[in-house]
Amino acid sequence: MTDKIIPLADIRYASRVPLVPAELLSPTGLLADTQARPLRDLRISVTDRCNFRCSYCMPREVFDKDYAFLPQSSLLSFEEITRLAKVFVAHGVEKIRLTGGEPLLRKHLEVLIGMLAKIQTPSGQPLDITLTTNASLLAKKAQSLKDAGLQRITVSLDGLDDAVFRRMNDVDFPVADVLRGIEAAQRAGLLPIKVNMVVKRGTNDDQIIPMARHFRNSGVVLRFIEYMDVGATNGWRMDEVLPSAQVIERLQAEFPLSAIDPNYRGETAERWRYADGAGEVGVISSVTHAFCGDCNRARLSTEGKLFLCLFASQGHDLRALLRGDFSDAQIAGAVAQIWQNRSDRYSELRAVMPADTMPGDGLKRVEMSYIGG
Ligand code: SAM
């Protein structure tokens, strides 16, 4: 099979307008796909813009001053996001994660959080609402986010060494400001705080132990994410991936650990506890141990396209339904049909990893900034 190189913009806009079924059934909260995977987790990208230029996510060469970010009119409004969120919750979603781009760059985000916080699950429970941020604006916003109804937060931080971190974010942003953001989130009670560190072999793997040492005994749960290198085509490269098993080995040599059970089925991180009671760490093995089998996540892009996988090449254009003359029941019917037809294609493909390359078949990572990593 030959690799097909698809320009980024084409991928971003690749989508189809969903079919609305003629017969509409009321959502039961029990929607399942062809592999009996429920729909529990919705990740909503609220902006495609970011103030960092991390080389592995929004590299400066692509996201330069000429890059065409989405115009305001393309973005889902807060009302549109909330309308869709209600549909997804009726189908079983219990957790909403706001992401981006950098979600704190979206103006008046607190208003959206307030609107989402009013939604309840069919059994009357509040939603678990969280947000992933680079923390550049967190010191200023932590309290207002909490007041609006945000419960907890995940911060991305790739190292404690200032030179390493400034190089990785490529906008010269200092570690100290991220740490100040984390402290503000702690004071505001956005708990438990998780910190995600993407590990790139040869770039920041020397930061694993200092990061672990820093966050031990702090109540913060540090998680190491395998760097996903999908390259410019469909090939997966392993040169810069440090497998989670090796991260754990390095940690074990310094701080004895024992494995602990997942909090729930489908959790992305494998959890480990420090034997001396200093807290827990996790690893997210997106490359060496793909977790597609339990994947219960859907992703809503900044302009309202529904993606069923981080690596999907095509989305389902829910904005077309929102802005067309469709009722909530019709949109719910369309979403149900999409999820029920969700196949195991990606897990089959990913099961063969880590191979040198992945099969082509049009499979390609959609921009992280667009559907949120
Ligand atoms: N701007 C926010 C932030 O920095 O957390 C949210 C968006 S960012 C795309 C979400 C997460 O995806 C971050 O933790 C980031 O490190 C991770 N990420 C982005 N590109 C990645 C890659 N190639 N491999 C692994 N993780 C990646």
Side-chain angles (χ1 to χ4, degrees):
M1 203 179 292
T2 52
D3 278 350
K4 195 163 68 178
I5 302 175
I6 311 167
L8 281 172
D10 285 356
I11 294 162
R12 199 168 71 165
Y13 299 118
S15 67
R16 62 174 79 123
V17 177
L19 293 175
V20 173
E23 194 195 347
L24 298 174
L25 304 173
S26 292
T28 58
L30 299 171
L31 198 61
D33 71 5
T34 57
Q35 308 300 309
R37 293 171 296 189
L39 173 55
R40 290 278 179 262
D41 184 331
L42 179 64
R43 300 185 175 207
I44 305 175
S45 175
V46 293
T47 176
D48 61 339
R49 290 163 200 260
C50 189
N51 51 349
F52 283 15
R53 285 292 174 272
C54 304
S55 53
Y56 56 74
C57 187
M58 291 181 67
R60 192 171 280 290
E61 310 79 79
V62 178
F63 297 88
D64 59 9
K65 63 176 180 20
D66 298 324
Y67 182 81
F69 286 102
L70 295 169
Q72 187 69 24
S73 58
S74 291
L75 272 52
L76 289 190
S77 68
F78 291 168
E79 288 72 21
E80 288 171 327
I81 293 175
T82 307
R83 191 174 165 208
L84 282 183
K86 285 181 184 161
V87 165
F88 279 87
V89 170
H91 279 315
V93 161
E94 294 167 348
K95 173 167 134 189
I96 290 186
R97 176 176 296 280
L98 300 179
T99 177
E102 171 46 43
L104 299 188
L105 291 181
R106 178 83 187 246
K107 281 206 185 85
H108 311 301
L109 188 71
E110 293 85 347
V111 174
L112 173 65
I113 291 170
M115 291 162 78
L116 295 175
K118 290 203 186 88
I119 304 175
Q120 292 192 330
T121 67
S123 61
Q125 299 300 309
L127 288 182
D128 178 13
I129 305 176
T130 182
L131 178 151
T132 303
T133 175
N134 61 26
S136 54
L137 300 170
L138 190 55
K140 212 164 65 187
K141 286 183 166 266
Q143 191 60 53
S144 60
L145 292 168
K146 175 72 182 176
D147 295 344
L150 189 70
Q151 286 146 3
R152 54 196 183 87
I153 205 150
T154 298
V155 170
S156 303
L157 175 62
D158 293 339
L160 278 183
D161 181 286
D162 215 39
V164 170
F165 183 60
R166 284 177 192 253
R167 239 192 336 271
M168 286 184 80
N169 64 53
D170 205 15
V171 291
D172 216 23
F173 198 84
V175 171
D177 287 11
V178 177
L179 296 179
R180 259 194 290 281
I182 294 173
E183 284 159 23
Q186 279 174 317
R187 277 196 303 279
L190 289 166
L191 305 173
I193 296 174
K194 291 179 182 158
V195 168
N196 283 349
M197 169 177 166
V198 174
V199 181
K200 269 185 96 171
R201 190 202 293 271
T203 300
N204 67 338
D205 56 324
D206 63 343
Q207 296 299 299
I208 293 171
I209 300 298
M211 285 280 283
R213 189 169 289 123
H214 182 86
F215 288 110
R216 274 163 51 81
N217 290 308
S218 69
V220 170
V221 179
L222 174 62
R223 292 150 6 137
F224 300 96
I225 306 182
E226 284 174 351
Y227 161 59
M228 293 180 278
D229 185 1
V230 288
T233 65
N234 296 322
W236 284 77
R237 293 203 311 261
M238 291 300 289
D239 327 359
E240 293 181 291
V241 179
L242 185 73
S244 292
Q246 291 183 35
V247 172
I248 294 297
E249 248 171 55
R250 289 193 196 184
L251 289 169
Q252 285 273 27
E254 200 80 18
F255 318 105
L257 296 169
S258 53
I260 45 182
D261 288 338
N263 285 310
Y264 53 88
R265 182 170 172 229
E267 189 171 30
T268 48
E270 289 156 39
R271 303 167 63 211
W272 295 77
R273 179 182 290 131
Y274 291 113
D276 64 0
E280 82 173 71
V281 282
V283 285
I284 301 181
S285 314
S286 351
V287 178
T288 60
H289 187 207
F291 28 79
C292 311
D294 276 341
C295 178
N296 54 19
R297 284 174 290 286
R299 295 164 189 274
L300 189 60
S301 78
T302 315
E303 56 177 340
K305 286 169 188 164
L306 174 64
F307 288 87
L308 304 183
C309 173
L310 182 55
F311 300 95
S313 56
Q314 225 187 23
H316 304 264
D317 187 2
L318 297 184
R319 194 187 62 186
L321 302 186
L322 286 169
R323 297 188 183 174
D325 194 16
F326 293 95
S327 66
D328 290 356
Q330 286 176 309
I331 296 176
V335 169
Q337 198 158 277
I338 292 166
W339 190 263
Q340 282 163 336
N341 286 323
R342 182 185 191 229
S343 73
D344 206 22
R345 185 160 72 103
Y346 303 121
S347 55
E348 280 165 26
L349 288 171
R350 302 191 76 203
V352 300
M353 291 168 48
D356 283 352
T357 54
M358 286 268 288
D361 193 29
L363 185 79
K364 165 101 175 55
R365 193 187 84 195
V366 177
E367 288 167 72
M368 291 266 193
S369 59
Y370 182 57
I371 62 170

